[in-house]
Every structure is written in structure tokens, then in C-alpha cells.
């Protein structure tokens, strides 16, 4: 995910205009920062959302420059780079403004500027005593590094991260927008993510995330438009970092205030009906990524608390129950329930930091997102993906949270409503979540009556049918399999909703490696369904 390039040239402040008035020229009516691209998934095409409205330029010698379609008259890149080291701040502004304009979408200009040593010169201006110089230097850098890996690396090697974090402390929203935009752009380079996490997280959390999420003050989100953009840039930056290495995920989980800020912002936005907010999308994506491999990467002491009940017994709860009771029996359900209640006392009622990621309260937050977010499919995909992460695997706590989601949060209905989508990304996380829930569900019969018809409907039954990706098909078949092994009702409903014909079609379809996987899954499910003798006639038909 890349932050969009910024083409605009910032307006001079009124005091700057008066100071230049005697010379008779300034960058009048320069464009304000314009709208952002609609999707943070792919922002390479963001250019057509930004409009350039310049009408003049200051050349430092009292002449009004004529604006032409290609740029500023009487100035070129070498001259602009020389202006950056001039003693006159007005020339520094002009040089940076020209670079910002020229490097908006011109890859050759970005390369030439780097060869002319523009990068270190701009970095030195980040903390200039002149505010306009700072704004234009950071604006130019934002465009220079956009979609240019070499320039990003050059910025970092010139101690740029340190200077950016110094600049972020300035009480100037325009400047902070530029700095956070630069950080977001830098974070799209995989080779820089670990270093960025090491050098920025604590300061960014203290300076931006905590105050602008509402966590540090009244508890209410109070952002002006500029602050909203600063927060959006910052959460986009975190979203990129959270997809990096285990080391970076760990650092983010451990960063004081980071997870709390994300949770507080999402919760507060839900309370005021802003679930579609783009910063909410970024925050939920961060939480999803920080939940990845959570039980393998969380502190051993925390894991021991969550798993302690199981480890104190020689065998798992399920293993003990199967010998004495049917897993569906009332006695078994009571036994499971009492075990879950015991474990809930081992989790803080007032979670802090990374504790939020596995606390039962987080399930309710994700559930509300699934119910209330109607338009932003990335947010709902992230919420279902986060739930998939914390319910995955054989850990006891994954089962506890699965049963909480099913029985207390009643999450199955909102999830099944989403399954109607044709969006493959959403379907992957949704069916993956249902797969986890079906493993841990106490009452397989009840779950079968709710999910079988919805899932069978998504399976292809012939060559002309629309078919979801193979991994979605495998997920669906795995859900049905989890239900069939303990519920005759599941097998009956699969037959009733024409699932048998579809499963035989999938089983026979082996024309690719992906289809081979779904074919094996279908064969396994059909084998388990065959154990119910009442279905033999349907098989033969």
C-alpha cells in the first residue's frame, strides 16, 4: 500500500506574501492539498485525483515567472537543486517547489534529482528555521520517493528518518501531513520496514496515534481535516509495517499505546456511526496482521495462562469427553462451558496493549464491524480475517473464542450474510473463519441447519457454473466435513440442497493442481457421508 504522490505546491503564508510584496512576485493561488485516491490497496493511479492550479512562481530576483504547461520558466533541475543550498530562504522555497512539481510523475526527473544530490540537500532543509522551506522540502521529498525504491533508500541513508521524526514534533499540520505521507510511502518497501519500525514506532505513537485517536485526552475523537489526514497517513504506515516480519509484528505489539490507540479509534468510530472511515479500515487491517500467528508469537507467560487449564490435564477436554459422553450431550456441553468460564477469569477485564488481541472483548468489536460496515469491503474482510486468526489452530484459547463468537456474540448470521458476496478476498477470510468455528462448535447439529445451505450454494456443479477460488472451495468442504463427522443432519442437508451432485463434480475435476486439492477434499467428505447408511440410496442415484 502506497500513500499517493502529492503534486500540489503549498500556499505561501500571508506574512510571506507581504515580505515578498516589495519584490512584486510570489507563488499566488497555488493549489491546496487535494483529494486522495479512493483505495489504499493500489494508489499508483492516484494522479488523476489531484489537480494543479498554479498561476505564478517566484524566481528570487523580483520577476514574476510566466507559468507554462511544462513547469517554471527560466529554471531547470540543476538550478533548482542549487537553490536548495542558497542562503536566501526564498530561493530554497523556489528550488524545493520546482522539484516537487517536476518530480510529481516524471521518473527521469526523480533519477536526475538524485544524481544531482538533491536528497541530502532536501533532508537538511527538513528542520530549517523557515516554515515554508520545511513545507516545500518535505513536499518535494514526498514526490521524489513516490514509487521510486532508489530514492527511498537514499533518503534513509541520509539519516532522513531521524530528521523526519524531529520534524514531526513541529506544531504545523501541513508539515505533519507531509512527514506522515513520506513515512507511508517509505513503508511500501519491504526492505525498509524493519528499520522504520525500529526508528519510528514509539515517537509516532506518542506524537500522533495516542492524541489523535482520542486515547490520550477526553476519550473522544476530535480531529480537524488536517489531523484526520495525518492520522490516516499514520495508520496506512502501520498497516504496511504490520505485514512485515515476525520481529516487526512483535515490536508493534509491544509498543506502548499502539494497539490501545487502534482499538480506541475503532471503538469510538463505531459508537458515532463511522464504521466506513478509511482510518478504521487501516486500523482493523493492523489488528488483523498483528493477530497473525498470535498464539505462536505471544509471550510464553501469557500463553501459559490461556492454555493452563488444558496443560494441567493428561489429555484434552475433547479426548476426555468422547470416552464418556457424546460431544453433543448436555453433560459434555456443561463440562465445556464450565471450563470456558474458568479460563475467562484468567483474562483481564481491562486489557492493555497486546492483551487486546486475544481478549474476549475483541470478538465483539469485530462482530459489530461485520454488522455495521456496509460499504467498505476491506474493513469487513480485515475483521473476518482477524477473527480467523484468533480462532485458528488447536490451541485451547482458539476454541474458547470460537465458542464465544458462536454462542454469546451470535456471529454466524452476520458472517453468513457476507458469504453472499462474489468478492474472492472476502470469501477467503469468511470461509476460513467458518471453517475454524465449525471445528470448535459445541452443537454441530445447530450449526449445520444454519450454514449448509449457504455454503453448498457457493459450490460449482458444472462446467458453466461460476466457481470461487480453489482455496474457498476447500474451506467450504472442510466446514461441511467438520459438521458431517458429528452430525447426521449435516449430511442430510447436503443431500437436500443438491450438494451431493456438486461434490461428485468437484471430485472428478482434476485438471489442475488447485482442482486436485479440492477434488481430494470432496472425496474425503463423500467418504464420511457414506458412513450414514440411510444416504446410500442417494449416492447410488
Amino acid at each position: 500500500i502506497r500513500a499517493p504522490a502529492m503534486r500540489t505546491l503549498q500556499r505561501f503564508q500571508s506574512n510571506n506574501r507581504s515580505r515578498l510584496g516589495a519584490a512584486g512576485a510570489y507563488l499566488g493561488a497555488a493549489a491546496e492539498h487535494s483529494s486522495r485516491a479512493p483505495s489504499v490497496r493500489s494508489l499508483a493511479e492516484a494522479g488523476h485525483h489531484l489537480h494543479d492550479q498554479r498561476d505564478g512562481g517566484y524566481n528570487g530576483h523580483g520577476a514574476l515567472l510566466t507559468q507554462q504547461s511544462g513547469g517554471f520558466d527560466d529554471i531547470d533541475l540543476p538550478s533548482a537543486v542549487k537553490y536548495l543550498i542558497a542562503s536566501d530562504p526564498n530561493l530554497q522555497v523556489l528550488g524545493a517547489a520546482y522539484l516537487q512539481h517536476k518530480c510529481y510523475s516524471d521518473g527521469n526527473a526523480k533519477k536526475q534529482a538524485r544524481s544531482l544530490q538533491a536528497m541530502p540537500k532536501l533532508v537538511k532543509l527538513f528542520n530549517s528555521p523557515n516554515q515554508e522551506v520545511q513545507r516545500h522540502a518535505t513536499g518535494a521529498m514526498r514526490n521524489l520517493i513516490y514509487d521510486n525504491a532508489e530514492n527511498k533508500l537514499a533518503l534513509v541513508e541520509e539519516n532522513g528518518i531521524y530528521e523526519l521524526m524531529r520534524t514531526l514534533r513541529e506544531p504545523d499540520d501541513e508539515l505533519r501531513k507531509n512527514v506522515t505521507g513520506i513515512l507511508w510511502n517509505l513503508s511500501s518497501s519491504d526492505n525498509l520496514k524493519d528499520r522504520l519500525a525500529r526508528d519510528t514506532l514509539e515517537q509516532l505513537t506518542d506524537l500522533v496515534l495516542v492524541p489523535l485517536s482520542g486515547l490520550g485526552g477526553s476519550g473522544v475523537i476530535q480531529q480537524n481535516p488536517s489531523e484526520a489526514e495525518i492520522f490516516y497517513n499514520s495508520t496506512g504506515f502501520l498497516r504496511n509495517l504490520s505485514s512485515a516480519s515476525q520481529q516487526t509484528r512483535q515490536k508493534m505489539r509491544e509498543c506502548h499505546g499502539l494497539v490501545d490507540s487502534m482499538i480506541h479509534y475503532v471503538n469510538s468510530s463505531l459508537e458515532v456511526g463511522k464504521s466506513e472511515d478509511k482510518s478504521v479500515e487501516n486500523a482493523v487491517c493492523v489488528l488483523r496482521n498483528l493477530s497473525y500467528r498470535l498464539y505462536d508469537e505471544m509471550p510464553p507467560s501469557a500463553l501459559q495462562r490461556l492454555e493452563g487449564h488444558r496443560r494441567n490435564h493428561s489429555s484434552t477436554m475433547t479426548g476426555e469427553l468422547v470416552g464418556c459422553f457424546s460431544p453433543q450431550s448436555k453433560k459434555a456441553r456443561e463440562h465445556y462451558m464450565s471450563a470456558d468460564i474458568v479460563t475467562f477469569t484468567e483474562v483481564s477485564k481491562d486489557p492493555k496493549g497486546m492483551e487486546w488481541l486475544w481478549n474476549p472483548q475483541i470478538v465483539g468489536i469485530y462482530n459489530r464491524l461485520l454488522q455495521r460496515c456496509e460499504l467498505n469491503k476491506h474493513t469487513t474482510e480485515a475483521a473476518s480475517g482477524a477473527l480467523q486468526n484468533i480462532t485458528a489452530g488447536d490451541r485451547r484459547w482458539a476454541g474458547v473464542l470460537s465458542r464465544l463468537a458462536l454462542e454469546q456474540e451470535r456471529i454466524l448470521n452476520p458472517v453468513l450474510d457476507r458469504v453472499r458476496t462474489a468478492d474472492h478476498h472476502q470469501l477467503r477470510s469468511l470461509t476460513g473463519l467458518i471453517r475454524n468455528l465449525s471445528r470448535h462448535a459445541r452443537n454441530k447439529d445447530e450449526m449445520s441447519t444454519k450454514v449448509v445451505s449457504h455454503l453448498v450454494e457457493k459450490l460449482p456443479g458444472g462446467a458453466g457454473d461460476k466457481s470461487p477460488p480453489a482455496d474457498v472451495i476447500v474451506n467450504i468442504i472442510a466446514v461441511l466435513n467438520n459438521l458431517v463427522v458429528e452430525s447426521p443432519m449435516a449430511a442430510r442437508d447436503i443431500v437436500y440442497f443438491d450438494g451431493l451432485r456438486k461434490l461428485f463434480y468437484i471430485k472428478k475435476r482434476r485438471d489442475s493442481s488447485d482442482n486436485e486439492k479440492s477434488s481430494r477434499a470432496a472425496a474425503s467428505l463423500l467418504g464420511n457421508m457414506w458412513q450414514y447408511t440411510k444416504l446410500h440410496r442417494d449416492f447410488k442415484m
Side-chain angles (χ1 to χ4, degrees):
I1 313 160
R2 290 189 302 250
M6 189 181 72
R7 187 174 189 176
T8 59
L9 295 171
Q10 306 293 346
R11 269 199 189 92
F12 281 96
Q13 297 294 337
S14 56
N15 61 352
N16 205 34
R17 290 202 183 102
S18 61
R19 181 160 48 83
L20 296 175
Y26 61 88
L27 284 172
E32 293 286 346
H33 187 85
S34 189
S35 60
R36 303 183 79 77
S39 169
V40 295
R41 281 195 164 269
S42 176
L43 292 166
E45 73 283 4
H48 64 276
H49 296 279
L50 299 163
H51 307 287
D52 199 18
Q53 300 172 344
R54 294 178 301 278
D55 71 354
Y58 177 65
N59 70 355
H61 302 288
L64 183 64
L65 298 173
T66 305
Q67 182 62 43
Q68 297 183 356
S69 59
F72 300 86
D73 226 9
D74 300 330
I75 187 173
D76 54 16
L77 266 176
S79 301
V81 174
K82 286 180 181 178
Y83 287 166
L84 298 178
I85 54 174
S87 57
D88 183 355
N90 298 323
L91 284 178
Q92 293 176 341
V93 167
L94 179 60
Y98 181 80
L99 282 168
Q100 182 177 340
H101 161 68
K102 192 68 176 174
C103 296
Y104 168 63
S105 59
D106 188 338
N108 289 330
K110 295 177 185 181
K111 185 177 180 180
Q112 185 184 358
R114 184 176 72 252
S115 68
L116 291 169
Q117 298 299 303
M119 307 298 285
K121 295 178 176 64
L122 285 171
V123 169
K124 288 178 181 177
L125 297 180
F126 286 175
N127 289 286
S128 163
N130 184 297
Q131 185 185 64
E132 287 301 312
V133 172
Q134 288 182 292
R135 288 182 174 186
H136 284 81
T138 51
M141 185 62 77
R142 191 170 177 179
N143 284 357
L144 270 165
I145 67 169
Y146 180 75
D147 208 18
N148 190 299
E150 293 83 1
N151 285 356
K152 290 176 185 176
L153 187 59
L155 169 60
V156 172
E157 289 176 345
E158 293 295 338
N159 205 27
I161 298 176
Y162 173 77
E163 295 297 331
L164 285 169
M165 300 316 291
R166 279 184 63 202
T167 310
L168 192 61
R169 296 181 178 276
E170 296 283 340
D172 175 17
D173 284 349
E174 290 301 315
L175 193 56
R176 285 155 61 89
K177 281 194 288 189
N178 281 349
V179 171
T180 52
I182 290 171
L183 291 175
W184 190 0
N185 280 337
L186 286 173
S187 68
S188 64
S189 291
D190 288 339
N191 61 322
L192 298 178
K193 289 179 181 178
D194 289 346
R195 181 167 179 177
L196 285 166
R198 184 191 69 201
D199 295 343
T200 67
L201 283 180
E202 293 178 2
Q203 295 179 74
L204 186 71
T205 301
D206 292 340
L207 296 170
V208 176
L209 301 180
V210 169
L212 296 189
S213 68
L215 183 66
S218 62
V220 179
I221 300 171
Q222 296 176 323
Q223 299 177 349
N224 63 40
S226 290
E227 289 172 333
E229 185 175 334
I230 292 164
F231 191 77
Y232 175 55
N233 290 347
S234 301
T235 54
F237 170 71
L238 293 181
R239 180 174 175 175
N240 278 350
L241 290 194
S242 64
S243 66
S245 64
Q246 175 181 342
Q247 177 185 1
T248 293
R249 284 196 301 274
Q250 291 283 48
K251 190 164 186 63
M252 293 181 72
R253 292 178 188 131
E254 293 167 2
C255 181
H256 180 71
L258 191 153
V259 174
D260 302 271
S261 298
M262 298 296 98
I263 294 288
H264 187 84
Y265 187 82
V266 173
N267 243 337
S268 299
S269 298
L270 282 167
E271 288 173 5
V272 297
K274 292 187 176 180
S275 59
E276 311 290 349
D277 181 82
K278 296 296 286 183
S279 291
V280 169
E281 175 192 324
N282 282 342
V284 180
C285 287
V286 170
L287 295 172
R288 175 191 186 167
N289 288 345
L290 296 186
S291 301
Y292 178 66
R293 296 180 58 84
L294 180 61
Y295 300 121
D296 294 328
E297 297 175 5
M298 67 194 299
S301 58
L303 182 62
Q304 191 169 8
R305 282 198 300 274
L306 301 183
E307 298 291 302
H309 190 80
R310 167 186 283 184
R311 292 188 179 202
N312 291 337
H313 292 71
S314 58
S315 60
T316 65
M317 185 65 67
T318 306
E320 291 171 354
L321 290 170
V322 169
C324 306
F325 322 110
S326 159
Q328 307 283 44
S329 73
K330 181 180 178 183
K331 188 73 174 176
R333 288 198 296 274
E334 288 174 353
H335 201 152
Y336 268 128
M337 184 67 79
S338 64
D340 288 356
I341 291 170
V342 168
T343 314
F344 270 46
T345 64
E346 299 168 10
V347 182
S348 173
K349 292 181 181 178
D350 185 24
K352 302 289 184 186
M354 75 171 81
E355 293 175 1
W356 270 108
L357 298 174
W358 61 82
N359 192 280
Q361 296 177 54
I362 196 86
V363 179
I365 294 174
Y366 295 142
N367 189 17
R368 281 187 288 157
L369 284 165
L370 289 175
Q371 291 179 4
R372 299 181 190 180
C373 190
E374 296 292 336
L375 303 175
N376 192 328
K377 63 183 182 180
H378 303 307
T379 300
T380 54
E381 179 198 342
S384 56
L387 284 165
Q388 181 185 357
N389 284 341
I390 62 176
T391 58
D394 297 321
R395 300 286 188 184
R396 181 171 181 276
W397 197 246
V400 170
L401 294 183
S402 295
R403 292 185 286 276
L404 172 78
L406 287 168
E407 296 165 12
Q408 292 185 34
E409 290 293 334
R410 307 286 181 185
I411 207 166
L412 212 47
N413 287 335
V415 169
L416 291 173
D417 285 343
R418 299 282 174 186
V419 167
R420 295 190 178 99
T421 182
D423 183 83
H424 293 168
H425 296 290
Q426 289 191 77
L427 276 177
R428 283 189 181 93
S429 58
L430 289 166
T431 55
L433 171 59
I434 300 171
R435 180 175 181 174
N436 293 341
L437 297 178
S438 68
R439 286 187 64 201
H440 300 294
R442 269 190 269 262
N443 192 330
K444 299 289 199 291
D445 286 342
E446 181 184 356
M447 188 169 184
S448 298
T449 60
K450 293 181 178 179
V451 307
V452 169
S453 60
H454 290 276
L455 297 184
V456 168
E457 183 183 357
K458 305 298 289 188
L459 295 176
D465 290 358
K466 288 185 178 179
S467 178
D471 49 358
V472 172
I473 294 175
V474 170
N475 278 343
I476 290 173
I477 294 174
V479 173
L480 300 176
N481 207 25
N482 288 338
L483 299 175
V484 161
V485 293
E486 292 185 25
S487 170
M489 292 176 66
R492 181 202 66 188
D493 286 353
I494 290 171
V495 174
Y496 181 80
F497 290 106
D498 198 28
L500 208 54
R501 178 183 64 84
K502 292 184 173 184
L503 289 170
F504 273 107
Y505 167 73
I506 294 169
K507 178 175 176 287
K508 294 174 183 175
R509 193 177 58 166
R510 298 178 175 175
D511 52 348
S512 69
S513 59
D514 283 342
N515 286 343
E516 183 69 35
K517 293 175 186 176
S518 53
S519 172
R520 288 198 301 270
S524 175
L525 174 55
L526 289 167
N528 286 328
M529 290 177 66
W530 181 256
Q531 305 305 313
Y532 298 104
T533 55
K534 291 182 180 179
L535 298 179
H536 285 187
R537 190 175 69 170
D538 295 292
F539 268 75
K540 291 171 183 175
M541 289 172 60

